[in-house]
Amino acid sequence: MPGLLRGVARTAVVAGTATAVSNRVSRRQQGRWAAQQGPQAPAPQPAPAPPAEPSAPPPSDMTSKIEQLKQLGDLKTQGLLTEAEFEDQKRRLLAS
């Protein structure tokens, strides 16, 4: 039972970290866009993504980590994360 709880706790930490990073990046990006563009009408909402196929198998833990690392790399490339922020998040993700 302790192994199961540890796995659930680890998943919660990874998900929480990813959410926190995503929210922080979104706020920073919106602030930058607002500063660059000034007051304008809000952009239309993007169309919702199509639902995933219910028969698709869930991604493995390593696949999930690789995807998160790619997302962090993209955010760093776009200039939304500093090198220190990227390294910190990468370290947290790989330690989990």
Side-chain angles (χ1 to χ4, degrees), residues 43-67:
Q45 294 293 327
E53 293 183 23
S55 62
S60 70
D61 187 43
M62 185 54 71
T63 303
S64 173
K65 287 183 181 183
I66 291 171
E67 287 300 318

Side-chain angles (χ1 to χ4, degrees), residues 55-79:
S55 62
S60 70
D61 187 43
M62 185 54 71
T63 303
S64 173
K65 287 183 181 183
I66 291 171
E67 287 300 318
Q68 289 177 352
L69 284 171
K70 287 180 182 178
Q71 290 173 352
L72 286 172
D74 290 342
L75 293 173
K76 181 181 154 217
T77 302
Q78 295 172 5

Side-chain angles (χ1 to χ4, degrees), residues 4 9 19 36 38 42 44 52 54 58 64 68-69 78 80 85-86 90 96:
L4 177 62
T19 301
Q36 288 176 356
S64 173
Q68 289 177 352
L69 284 171
Q78 295 172 5
L80 300 174
E85 291 171 328
F86 172 76
K90 181 174 80 170
S96 61

